[in-house]
Amino acid sequence: MAIFMHQRQHRSRFRHQRVRPRQNLPRLMGNVNEAIALLNHRGQFVATNALAAQILHNSSAQLKGQYWRDFVNTSLDFSQCHRGSQPTGKQVSLQRSQPGAPQQILEWSLTQNIRPRLHLVIFRDISDRKTQAEAALVQQQQQVELFAEVTLKIRQSLQLDEILNTTVKEVQRILKADRVLAYQVLKDGTGKPISEAVLPQHSAILGMTFPEEVFPLHYQQRYAQGRVVAIADVQDPQAGLAECLVEFVQQFDIRAKLIVPILTSPLLAKSSSPSDHGPAANHAPQPVLWGLLIAHQCTVPRQWNAAELALMQQLANQIGVAIAQSQLVENLEDIVDLRTTALRQQEEQLRLITNALPVLIAYVDRQQRYQFNNQAYEAWLGQTPGQLKGQHLETVWGSEHYQRMGLPVQTVLAGEMISYDHEMVGQDGEHRALNITYIPDMDGQGEVQGFFALTSDISDRKAIERMKDEFISVVSHELRTPLTSMHSALKILSTGRLGTLSEDGQQMLEIADDNTERLVRLVNSVLDLQRIESGDVTMEKQICNAAGLITQAIEAMQPMAQQQGINLVGQSQPLQIWADADYMLQALTNLISNAIKFSPAGNEVSINLEAQPNQTLFHIHDEGAGIPADKLDSIFERFQQVDSSDARRKGGTGLGLTICRKIIEQHGGHIWVKSQLGQGSTFSFSVPDPPTQRTSLSKHQP
Amino acid sequence: MTSSRQLLIIDDEETIQTVVDFGLKLSAGWSLLKASSGREGITIAQEHSPDAILLDVMMPEMDGVATFKALQADGQTNEIPVIFLTAKAQATEKSQLKALGVSGVITKPFNALDLPMLISRILHW
C-alpha cells in the first residue's frame, strides 16, 4: 500500500514493506518518530498518527475529514499531480493558535501522490527548538555584551586589576563555569592566578604560586604561538594530560578546562620604556605570553563549544591590549612622576633663586590678583607670599599706589611690556625709589593670561645718579668761575690796551682765547646734557610756529655762516608744531651750526619742513663732505665725530648731536641722518603732533 | 653808558673782582668797589652808595641771597639795584633768583668787557 517517504534512508527501509497490508499503516505510523498525516487531494485528513494528532490537539478520529488549512496557516497546493513527485520542503509554517495558547511552529514536508489523490505530510513541532535557538541567541548576545563591556572597561580604565576582575567575573557568569582565572606567567617560569571568579562551593586558588614544572617552558612557547586548550575531561586518557598534572588539577576539583593564552604585543610594551632600545626591538613583533585566561569546570566533565572558545579568545586578546596599554600608561606615569619631580625641583630652585634676589617678583593674573610672589614681598609689605596669593593689587597696595599702577597695568594687560618708576615708603619707613616692569604672559593664541611684575629698588641707583648729577653740576659750576676769569682776562689782553704783543704772542693769545671759548661751550653742553638726561628738565611744550623757529635759528647762526661763507636758506611757510620752543631752537641751532662747520665755503645749508600725518619733519641739508656709512649709526653718540681731528679743527664739543637727540626724544620724536660721501648730508628729525588733531592745531595758524 | 658810574662787586673770588674791574674800566670807564664777603659788601654799600651792586650768589658764610635780603632790609641800601652773578645757568634757577626782587641775573662765564652793555640793558641806563 502506501509507502511513506520522508528521508532517503527511510525510503529504502519502507521499500521492502511495500506489500504490507493497509491495516498495518497505523502501527507503522505510530512507530515513526515524526508526525505523519495522509491528505486527500482536497486537503482533508485521511489518516494521522498519534504524534500528529497530539501536535494538532485532536484525536486521529476527530481529524479525519477536517481540512489541513484550518489547522495550518498555509494551504497546500496539489496541482502537480505526478505520482511520487519530490517533496516540497516548506520550512516553517504557523499553526492557527488556540486562544491563549502559545504559538506553535511546525516544520513540514509534503510528498504528493504517494497513491493517486493521496498525499503524505510529515511534520514536527519545532516550537521548542525555536526556544533553544532563542536561548542560544540570548547567550550569544550576552557574550557580545560582555565583550563590549570588557572592551569598554579596557578603554575607560587603565587599571589592569579592574579589567581582569571584570573579565573573570563576567566570563564565569556567562559560561556558567565553576572557576575562571587570569593567570600570570612570571619570568622565572612560575605563575600565579591574579584574578579569580569562583563559585563558593569550590576552593579559591587566587594568589597561589604555581611551580615551573606545572607549566614548563615548551608549554609556554606553544601558548605563545596562540595554542588553545579545551579539555572536556581531564581524566579522559585521550585528553593527553600528563599523569602528574591530572593529580595536580584534581587537587582543585578541576574536571574540565578551557585555556586561552593572553598575548601582548612586545612592540607596544617596548615603546613604553624609552631606555630599552635592545636589538630585539628591530625584530618583527613576536607576541609575548603574558599569561592565560582559564575556565574550569569542577567535579563533572564539560564539552566546551566553539562560541565559548571564541569568546575566551576574544577576551584574551582584549586583555592583551589592555595589558600593553596599562604597561604603557605605567611607564608614562613613571615618566610623568619623574618630570613632575624635576619640575618641582626646578620650581623650588626658582623659588630659592627668586627669594634670594633683592627684586620683587610676582605673577599677576588677568583679574589683577597675585598668583606668585617671592619672599622679597614679605620684607616690603609685611605679608608672606602665601597671604598675598589670590589678593587683588588694589587690596595689597592701597588705592593711592593702585592709581599710579592703573595705566601700566592696563597697558600690560593689552599685551605690551611696560616699565615705569614709582616712589613709596617701605615697611621700614624709608623712602624708596622703585623701577617696575610688567611683562605680559601670552598664551598660544596671543591672549594675555596675566603678567609678570618685576619691581626693583632703585633707591641706591637713584642716589648714585643724583650724586653723579650733582657732581657734574658742581664741577660745571665750579669751572664757570675760573673760566669767567680766564675768558675775561684773555679778552681784555686781546684788546691790546694793556700793551701790544708780538705777532707770535698775539697768535698764542688767540689760541688761548679760542680754546677758552670752546671750554665754555663744553661746560655748557655737559651741563645741558646732564640736565636733560637726569630728567630735571621737562619740555614745556606748546603750540609754536616751526617756520618761526627756523627763522630765529638762522638769525642766530647768521654771523657764523657769514664768517664761513655759507648761505642759509630756510622755509618760511608757517606750520604749527607742539614743542618747547627754547629747546627746539637749541636743537635747530646745533644742527645748523654743524652743517655750517662741515660745509665748504660758498655752499648752501637749507632747512625745510615736511608735514606728515601725525608729525612734522625737519630736514637740515648741507652740501659738505658727507658721512661714511659706518659712522651714520654712532654719530649721535656723545664724543663721536667723523674724524677725531674734526673736534679740534671745527671747534665742536662732540656733544651737540647727542643733545639734539635727547631734545628730540624728549619730544617723542626721532632723529636720523642720510648721507652720501661727497654729496652732503641731511639730518632729519620728527616732532609728533599733540594728542589732539592737526586740524584743531591749524585753527591757531596765523 | 656815557656818564661815569661806580659799581660794587661782592664776590669771594678775587680774580673775578680784578677782571670785572678791568672790563668795566676798559669798555666804559666805570669804577669798581670790591668786597670779598657779604658783610664787607653791605658796609661798603652803606658808605659809598654805589650805582649798582654785582652780587655773587655762591659765597661762604653769608651767601648772595642772604646778602641781598640784608641790603633790602637796610634803608641806606634798599634803593641800590642788585644784579646777581651766578654759575647756575638753569632757567628755573634764574627765575627763582629773579623772584627775590633783584634787577637782573648774569650767568657765568661772561666776558667782563661785555658787562657795561649787559648792565645798561638790565637797568635801562
Side-chain angles (χ1 to χ4, degrees):
Chain A
M1 225 222 72
I3 283 123
F4 306 110
M5 287 176 289
H6 175 231
Q7 286 176 321
R8 270 174 217 282
Q9 66 259 41
H10 292 157
R11 195 180 296 163
S12 59
R13 208 188 322 155
F14 294 143
R15 197 164 281 149
H16 57 84
Q17 293 170 346
R18 192 175 281 192
V19 288
R20 291 209 175 179
R22 194 175 182 156
Q23 49 266 48
N24 283 342
L25 186 66
R27 192 166 60 88
L28 186 68
M29 284 167 69
N31 284 344
V32 176
N33 202 17
E34 304 274 3
I36 296 171
L38 284 172
L39 304 178
N40 63 18
H41 66 284
R42 285 188 298 273
Q44 288 170 297
F45 288 102
V46 175
T48 49
N49 70 352
L51 196 53
Q54 190 193 329
I55 289 172
L56 298 176
H57 306 287
N58 277 284
S59 67
S60 288
Q62 284 171 325
L63 285 173
K64 200 165 180 172
Q66 293 207 54
Y67 288 88
W68 164 269
R69 63 171 182 270
D70 291 336
F71 289 88
V72 179
N73 64 353
T74 309
S75 61
L76 297 172
D77 180 12
F78 304 122
S79 58
Q80 291 191 310
C81 297
H82 307 295
R83 181 176 176 260
S85 66
Q86 285 295 319
T88 30
K90 293 262 164 60
Q91 278 301 309
V92 177
S93 72
L94 295 164
Q95 193 202 26
R96 199 168 66 180
S97 54
Q98 316 231 321
Q103 201 173 48
Q104 273 180 295
I105 297 157
L106 301 187
E107 187 183 70
W108 54 269
S109 66
L110 168 72
T111 309
Q112 293 183 23
N113 299 314
I114 55 165
R115 304 280 301 206
R117 295 156 51 97
L118 197 61
H119 315 287
L120 173 68
V121 179
I122 300 172
F123 61 96
R124 61 185 100 122
D125 188 341
I126 57 163
S127 306
D128 288 348
R129 255 207 275 159
K130 179 84 183 79
T131 315
Q132 276 166 18
E134 272 168 4
L137 265 176
V138 167
Q139 196 188 7
Q140 226 174 355
Q141 179 65 25
Q142 278 179 330
Q143 290 180 355
V144 168
E145 276 169 9
L146 167 64
F147 183 67
E149 188 184 330
V150 172
T151 310
L152 188 71
K153 266 259 159 55
I154 288 168
R155 283 209 205 107
Q156 284 177 341
S157 166
L158 291 163
Q159 294 301 312
L160 187 60
D161 295 350
E162 197 187 324
I163 293 166
L164 292 175
N165 282 334
T166 308
T167 310
V168 296
K169 210 167 73 199
E170 294 299 319
V171 169
Q172 190 272 325
R173 188 171 66 81
I174 303 283
L175 294 193
K176 297 189 174 63
D178 292 333
R179 184 189 289 117
V180 176
L181 297 172
Y183 176 91
Q184 187 177 10
V185 177
L186 303 172
K187 280 207 180 100
D188 59 2
T190 63
K192 59 176 181 183
I194 59 168
S195 267
E196 183 182 33
V198 61
L199 293 181
Q201 62 266 37
H202 302 290
S203 55
I205 59 175
L206 184 68
M208 287 184 190
T209 303
F210 290 73
E212 199 246 341
E213 303 89 80
V214 179
F215 194 51
L217 191 66
H218 67 273
Y219 269 45
Q220 293 189 26
Q221 286 166 345
R222 283 160 71 184
Y223 278 119
Q225 285 158 7
R227 182 173 99 126
V228 171
V229 174
I231 298 171
D233 185 355
V234 293
Q235 287 168 12
D236 184 350
Q238 285 195 340
L241 215 63
E243 241 175 75
C244 64
L245 277 179
V246 174
E247 282 172 28
F248 180 79
V249 297
Q250 276 177 343
Q251 283 179 54
F252 307 107
D253 304 335
I254 301 163
R255 189 66 188 272
K257 61 181 186 178
L258 176 57
I259 305 172
V260 295
I262 298 170
L263 304 172
T264 64
S265 157
L267 256 195
L268 196 54
K270 236 180 200 97
S271 67
S272 62
S273 70
S275 58
D276 189 357
H277 291 301
N282 296 328
H283 293 176
Q286 284 287 323
V288 169
L289 182 69
W290 176 86
L292 304 168
L293 183 62
I294 305 170
H296 285 159
Q297 199 64 38
C298 299
T299 328
V300 292
R302 172 169 179 170
Q303 196 72 46
W304 305 98
N305 67 33
E308 290 165 344
L309 220 91
L311 177 74
M312 289 278 277
Q313 272 181 311
Q314 283 171 335
L315 288 173
N317 286 345
Q318 288 298 313
I319 293 169
V321 171
I323 288 165
Q325 272 184 7
S326 75
Q327 282 171 349
L328 197 68
V329 167
E330 259 173 49
N331 268 303
L332 275 177
E333 276 172 355
D334 285 350
I335 293 167
V336 168
D337 277 353
L338 224 80
R339 301 235 166 116
T340 310
T341 312
L343 268 176
R344 287 227 182 84
Q345 279 172 353
Q346 277 178 11
E347 202 182 288
E348 189 51 36
Q349 281 173 357
L350 190 69
R351 197 176 293 279
L352 282 173
I353 293 167
T354 56
N355 285 347
L357 285 174
V359 179
L360 302 185
I361 301 171
Y363 182 80
V364 182
D365 67 17
R366 221 170 6 186
Q367 283 72 43
Q368 305 188 22
R369 292 176 194 281
Y370 281 119
Q371 292 304 330
F372 171 85
N373 298 79
N374 69 342
Q375 204 64 44
Y377 271 86
E378 192 173 352
W380 277 67
L381 295 167
Q383 295 187 70
T384 64
Q387 289 169 321
L388 287 169
K389 188 165 175 152
Q391 287 209 58
H392 195 274
L393 288 178
E394 189 168 8
T395 321
V396 173
W397 292 96
S399 56
E400 192 192 330
H401 288 300
Y402 181 69
Q403 219 166 8
R404 176 75 182 86
M405 290 175 184
L407 194 66
V409 168
Q410 269 177 29
T411 308
V412 74
L413 287 179
E416 257 183 72
M417 186 176 128
I418 187 166
S419 192
Y420 68 101
D421 287 351
H422 187 45
E423 286 188 357
M424 64 170 286
V425 179
Q427 275 287 104
D428 50 9
E430 292 241 342
H431 198 79
R432 308 229 197 194
L434 303 179
N435 176 262
I436 300 159
T437 301
Y438 294 155
I439 303 161
D441 173 32
M442 313 266 220
D443 65 8
Q445 279 77 48
E447 292 275 319
V448 180
Q449 296 302 304
F451 61 90
F452 299 94
L454 309 176
T455 307
S456 41
D457 183 351
I458 53 163
S459 306
D460 292 349
R461 202 178 84 200
K462 282 272 178 187
I464 290 167
E465 272 176 18
R466 254 198 309 277
M467 277 168 65
K468 184 202 83 177
D469 289 348
E470 270 171 30
F471 176 77
I472 291 173
S473 172
V474 166
V475 165
S476 307
H477 290 135
E478 289 302 315
L479 280 172
R480 281 162 187 268
T481 304
L483 274 173
T484 308
S485 302
M486 281 169 67
H487 187 52
S488 297
L490 289 167
K491 286 288 179 199
I492 290 162
L493 261 186
S494 59
T495 59
R497 290 173 61 181
L498 301 178
T500 43
L501 283 168
S502 66
E503 200 177 316
D504 285 349
Q506 194 64 37
Q507 199 192 338
M508 289 304 120
L509 188 62
E510 272 171 32
I511 289 170
D513 190 24
D514 284 351
N515 281 282
T516 306
E517 276 183 18
R518 189 170 149 215
L519 206 52
V520 170
R521 285 198 302 276
L522 192 58
V523 167
N524 283 339
S525 296
V526 166
L527 209 55
D528 277 347
L529 196 59
Q530 176 262 324
R531 280 208 307 264
I532 297 170
E533 278 190 336
S534 70
D536 283 353
V537 175
T538 46
M539 299 287 150
E540 302 282 339
K541 285 174 223 163
Q542 54 191 3
I543 292 163
C544 44
N545 181 7
L549 289 175
I550 290 173
T551 309
Q552 281 184 57
I554 286 174
E555 273 170 17
M557 299 315 295
Q558 205 63 55
M560 183 186 175
Q562 276 167 3
Q563 209 182 348
Q564 299 265 329
I566 305 293
N567 187 27
L568 297 179
V569 182
Q571 174 170 326
S572 56
Q573 187 65 37
L575 190 62
Q576 305 290 352
I577 58 165
W578 180 252
D580 182 312
D582 290 340
Y583 279 102
M584 201 44 67
L585 198 58
Q586 189 178 349
L588 276 172
T589 51
N590 266 344
L591 290 170
I592 294 169
S593 131
N594 231 34
I596 293 170
K597 268 186 239 167
F598 294 96
S599 292
N603 275 354
E604 190 179 274
V605 169
S606 61
I607 303 102
N608 291 299
L609 287 168
E610 184 187 337
Q612 286 197 338
N614 308 321
Q615 61 180 7
T616 302
L617 299 188
F618 287 72
H619 303 290
I620 296 92
H621 177 70
D622 68 58
E623 296 165 337
I627 303 158
D630 63 327
K631 296 275 183 184
L632 287 176
D633 286 339
S634 62
I635 199 157
F636 295 101
E637 301 297 323
R638 59 191 69 187
F639 303 114
Q640 290 293 321
Q641 280 173 328
V642 174
D643 182 337
S644 57
S645 67
D646 282 349
R648 265 165 312 186
R649 194 153 48 85
K650 306 295 182 187
T653 59
L655 291 171
L657 287 177
T658 313
I659 291 170
C660 284
R661 190 180 68 180
K662 296 286 173 193
I663 291 171
I664 301 307
E665 283 174 358
Q666 288 281 322
H667 280 85
H670 297 286
I671 186 165
W672 66 95
V673 60
K674 283 180 185 168
S675 184
Q676 263 193 308
L677 274 181
Q679 294 188 16
S681 311
T682 304
F683 283 81
S684 306
F685 63 85
S686 59
V687 180
D689 289 343
T692 49
Q693 300 207 328
R694 184 181 287 274
T695 47
S696 68
L697 258 185
S698 54
K699 284 180 200 156
H700 302 281
Q701 280 193 8
Chain B
M1 223 194 271
T2 46
S3 56
S4 183
R5 306 266 184 194
Q6 188 181 50
L7 275 68
L8 166 64
I9 183 160
I10 306 173
D11 195 319
D12 59 322
E13 284 277 338
E14 278 185 30
T15 59
I16 294 287
Q17 297 174 8
T18 310
V19 293
V20 168
D21 190 8
F22 270 91
L24 295 180
K25 200 190 299 170
L26 291 180
S27 357
W30 295 350
S31 65
L32 186 69
L33 298 162
K34 298 163 194 169
S36 295
S37 72
R39 303 204 181 284
E40 191 189 351
I42 291 164
T43 313
I44 294 172
Q46 288 165 341
E47 282 174 14
H48 295 89
S49 293
D51 296 314
I53 299 170
L54 301 176
L55 178 56
D56 185 28
V57 177
M58 292 216 289
M59 288 188 295
E61 292 172 35
M62 194 176 189
D63 69 5
V65 175
T67 308
F68 172 69
K69 285 178 177 163
L71 289 167
Q72 289 291 293
D74 190 326
Q76 284 178 276
T77 55
N78 63 357
E79 294 293 316
I80 307 168
V82 175
I83 295 170
F84 272 136
L85 302 179
T86 179
K88 298 206 170 185
Q90 216 177 327
T92 49
E93 287 159 353
K94 268 192 194 174
S95 52
Q96 275 169 13
L97 291 175
K98 276 184 187 163
L100 291 171
V102 293
S103 304
V105 179
I106 292 173
T107 309
K108 292 177 185 176
F110 51 79
N111 176 356
L113 291 169
D114 296 339
L115 278 177
M117 183 194 71
L118 291 171
I119 293 162
S120 301
R121 195 187 290 167
I122 289 167
L123 300 176
H124 309 291
W125 284 348

